[in-house]
Every structure is written in structure tokens, then in C-alpha cells.
């Protein structure tokens, strides 16, 4: 049986690349009966009745990981595209994205767009945040409109990796893809001044070969949720907290009101930034308020 990778999903069809060609396939009915669904990025086994006919996906191989929104599997890293203006840089939204990627063991990279729109005082404030995230261990790329060296800077990051490109609509994802792949000719988003957010312009998930790697563009969305994260797991999704939590007095410390909590002590000394801890508290409350699943 032939094997390949799903590179695109659209209108009930899965497009499987087997190293030589792209085969249009349907999924077996048994997947639906089991509540399973093939995802872009899946390694699958497929069959063809006759040459030139549509294929049928027979088996989904074990996944390295999978995201729910966007629906994609076997991702090495997530490039989170955030504009610094129009819409403005938003740390709580960035932290939501970072936490969910961390929970799925997808390596996050932060890509900031529209740096050229900042005033000097805004740039100084932003550099403080950039330094914070870099100290946490994240790579932060600062990009400008029309930057000629952008592809050269992105090549070593994308090489031999499967990357997902994600972020709010209107932050420059399509523009970034157009820079990487000029022939793609994606329609760039138009900012809605009245709403302060972009209109949705990307309609399906697709893996595209670029810089000797694979890059996924995804439909625009406003945030990730925490449906798959338990309260005991949240702290591990904040790298600076995870490094400190071993020094807490109690195992399973939620870093709220427990005595001799090393994380809260690090917040008081400034080792862990106060805004990050406040986001942790907010996310934890959201998880604790979540309706139980049956």
C-alpha cells in the first residue's frame, strides 16, 4: 500500500503527496464511524483502484502531535505572527497562543510585523517586552514592510521543519507568505478600521514547500482556547515558571495561595514578570471554570 503525507484538505478531499505526485483522496467511512478525521500533516497509507482515479485513505499513522484549531498534525514549530500596530501588540493574546503551542509540544517562534509603523516611544516600550520573551527562551523576529533580507533571515528557521503560521487576521500572515513565495499571490487582508481586526481571507489549511521545509498557512482566528489543558499542566506551559516550580514546597503547587511557592516568590523579585503571572492566573481560572467533559 502506498504511503504519503496529506498536504491539503478542501471540501471533503485530502490531497496526499507521495514524493512524486499529489493524489486526490477521500477518507474511509470507518474514520467517521470512529470519530476520527485525517488532518493536514498526517502520514497516511492510501490505495488506488485504477491509475488516474481518486485514492482512498486507508490508515492514519501515529501522530507526533496535533492541533485542534487550526486542524493540523505533526508540526515541529509554530510561527506566531503578531503585528505591533493595526492591530496593536497584545501580550495576553500572544500568551494564549504560546501556552497552547507549549501544551502540544510545538516549538513557538514569535514574529512581529509592522515594526516600521512604531513611533520612537512605542519602540522603546516594545523592546522591553521583546527582551522579556527572549529571556524566557523564545526567538523573536522583528520584521518591516518591504524588508529585502526577510527571506534570508527565515530560511534557517524553516529549513527541514514543518511549521505552522498562525495569528490574528490582519497581522500580515498572507503578506509574509507572499514574500516567501511570490508566485503564491495570496490576497492580502484588508484591515477593518471600525473593528480593529482583519477580515478572514484564508479559507483552507495547506502545507506549502518553502525554504527546504513545509509551511502551513491557516485560517485567521482570534485566539486559542484551553480545552485540552488541565489546571495541573498549565504552569509547565510557562517556561519561566516551569524552571522555578521544582523549588515549590508542595508537589502539584498551582502557584496561587500555597505557602513557600517559589513561583510567587520569583514574581515578587521580578524574576518572573508580573503581567505573565497575571495571565497565568486568568488562564487558570478559565480552566477551572470550564464545564466538565462527559
Amino acid at each position: 500500500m502506498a504511503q504519503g503525507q496529506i498536504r491539503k484538505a478542501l471540501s471533503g478531499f485530502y490531497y496526499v503527496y507521495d514524493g512524486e505526485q499529489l493524489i486526490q483522496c477521500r477518507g474511509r467511512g470507518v474514520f467517521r464511524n470512529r470519530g476520527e478525521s485525517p488532518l493536514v500533516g498526517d502520514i497516511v497509507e492510501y490505495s488506488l483502484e485504477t491509475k488516474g482515479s481518486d485514492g482512498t485513505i486507508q490508515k492514519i499513522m501515529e501522530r507526533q502531535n496535533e492541533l485542534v484549531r487550526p486542524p493540523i498534525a505533526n508540526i515541529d514549530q509554530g510561527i506566531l505572527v503578531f503585528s505591533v500596530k493595526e492591530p496593536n501588540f497584545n501580550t495576553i493574546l500572544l500568551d494564549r497562543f504560546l501556552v497552547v503551542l507549549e501544551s502540544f509540544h510545538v516549538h513557538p517562534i514569535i514574529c512581529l510585523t509592522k515594526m516600521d509603523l512604531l513611533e520612537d516611544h512605542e519602540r522603546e516600550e516594545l523592546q522591553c517586552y521583546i527582551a522579556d520573551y527572549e529571556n524566557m527562551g523564545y526567538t523573536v523576529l522583528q520584521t518591516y514592510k518591504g524588508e529585502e533580507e526577510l527571506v534570508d533571515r527565515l530560511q534557517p528557521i524553516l529549513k527541514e521543519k514543518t511549521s505552522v503560521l498562525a495569528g490574528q487576521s490582519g497581522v500580515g500572515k498572507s503578506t509574509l507568505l507572499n514574500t516567501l513565495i511570490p508566485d503564491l499571490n495570496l490576497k492580502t487582508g484588508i484591515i477593518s478600521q471600525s473593528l480593529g481586526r482583519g477580515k478572514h481571507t484564508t479559507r483552507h489549511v495547506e502545507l506549502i514547500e518553502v525554504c527546504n521545509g513545509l509551511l502551513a498557512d491557516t485560517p485567521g482566528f482570534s485566539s486559542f482556547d484551553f480545552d485540552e489543558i488541565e489546571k495541573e499542566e498549565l504552569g509547565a506551559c510557562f517556561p519561566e515558571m516551569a524552571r522555578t516550580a521544582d523549588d515549590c514546597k508542595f508537589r502539584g503547587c498551582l502557584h496561587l495561595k500555597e505557602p513557600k511557592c517559589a513561583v510567587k516568590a520569583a514574581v515578587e523579585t521580578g524574576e518572573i514578570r508580573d503581567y505573565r503571572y497575571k495571565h497565568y492566573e486568568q488562564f487558570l481560572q478559565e480552566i477551572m471554570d470550564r464545564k466538565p467533559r462527559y
Side-chain angles (χ1 to χ4, degrees):
M1 197 170 294
Q3 189 174 100
Q5 182 186 41
I6 299 176
R7 293 288 179 88
K8 180 169 68 172
L10 185 64
S11 301
F13 287 100
Y14 303 97
Y15 296 84
V16 178
Y17 181 67
D18 66 1
E20 297 180 356
Q21 57 186 333
L22 204 61
I23 309 295
Q24 179 174 285
C25 295
R26 292 276 195 182
R28 290 179 63 199
V30 68
F31 294 136
R32 195 163 45 249
N33 296 338
R34 294 174 184 164
E36 299 176 0
S37 179
L39 298 176
V40 169
D42 273 333
I43 306 301
V44 298
E45 291 184 350
Y46 72 94
S47 60
L48 285 174
E49 289 189 11
T50 58
K51 188 175 181 179
S53 67
D54 286 353
T56 302
I57 295 174
Q58 300 290 346
K59 183 179 181 181
I60 302 169
M61 310 305 285
E62 184 177 355
R63 292 168 177 158
Q64 171 187 327
N65 54 37
E66 64 180 277
L67 299 179
V68 179
R69 286 193 295 275
I72 192 165
N74 300 319
I75 293 297
D76 296 312
Q77 58 189 14
I79 301 175
L80 300 178
V81 185
F82 273 72
S83 63
V84 295
K85 287 195 84 170
E86 300 178 9
N88 292 338
F89 181 63
N90 184 326
T91 57
I92 192 166
L93 187 57
L94 173 59
D95 286 347
R96 291 184 73 93
F97 279 45
L98 289 170
V99 162
V100 173
L101 288 186
E102 293 279 6
S103 75
F104 286 105
H105 306 289
V106 175
H107 178 65
I109 294 172
I110 302 167
C111 179
L112 302 179
T113 64
K114 308 182 186 181
M115 291 290 296
D116 48 293
L117 299 182
L118 291 176
E119 302 290 341
D120 288 344
H121 70 280
E122 294 172 321
R123 192 182 306 276
E124 289 180 11
E125 181 181 350
L126 183 68
Q127 289 300 330
C128 294
Y129 285 116
I130 290 172
D132 286 347
Y133 284 99
E134 288 179 336
N135 288 335
M136 294 169 206
Y138 293 115
T139 298
V140 182
L141 295 174
Q142 303 175 52
T143 69
Y144 304 79
K145 184 177 181 180
E147 182 183 350
E148 294 181 358
E149 297 82 15
L150 181 57
V151 175
D152 293 336
R153 292 172 60 204
L154 286 170
Q155 267 187 330
I157 292 173
L158 297 173
K159 184 179 180 181
E160 297 178 354
K161 299 287 187 181
T162 299
S163 308
V164 62
L165 191 67
Q168 285 177 289
S169 294
V171 297
K173 297 200 309 296
S174 294
T175 301
L176 185 61
L177 269 177
N178 284 334
T179 301
L180 287 166
I181 316 169
D183 294 339
L184 200 60
N185 194 29
L186 284 180
K187 180 182 177 183
T188 55
I190 300 171
I191 297 296
S192 169
Q193 297 294 338
S194 61
L195 296 178
R197 62 177 184 269
K199 297 179 180 179
H200 293 232
T201 56
T202 310
R203 299 186 179 277
H204 66 277
V205 180
E206 180 175 1
L207 283 173
I208 304 162
E209 292 185 5
V210 57
C211 297
N212 295 314
L214 293 172
L215 180 63
D217 182 37
T218 63
F221 47 84
S222 59
S223 68
F224 282 137
D225 56 38
F226 305 131
D227 287 348
E228 304 299 318
I229 304 175
E230 299 301 329
K231 63 182 181 180
E232 297 82 6
E233 301 168 340
L234 181 63
C237 300
F238 286 74
E240 72 275 38
M241 293 187 190
R243 290 191 290 266
T244 307
D246 286 343
D247 295 327
C248 290
K249 180 178 181 180
F250 296 102
R251 181 173 293 182
C253 180
L254 292 180
H255 321 306
L256 292 176
K257 298 179 180 179
E258 299 90 337
K260 296 186 179 180
C261 170
V263 168
K264 293 205 70 172
V267 174
E268 291 175 4
T269 62
E271 183 182 346
I272 293 175
R273 293 302 187 200
D274 185 62
Y275 66 90
R276 284 276 288 179
Y277 179 72
K278 287 179 179 176
H279 295 169
Y280 168 81
E281 286 184 305
Q282 182 174 328
F283 300 163
L284 184 62
Q285 190 62 53
E286 187 175 327
I287 291 170
M288 294 170 71
D289 289 344
R290 185 176 62 203
K291 291 182 180 178
R293 288 173 290 183
Y294 298 101

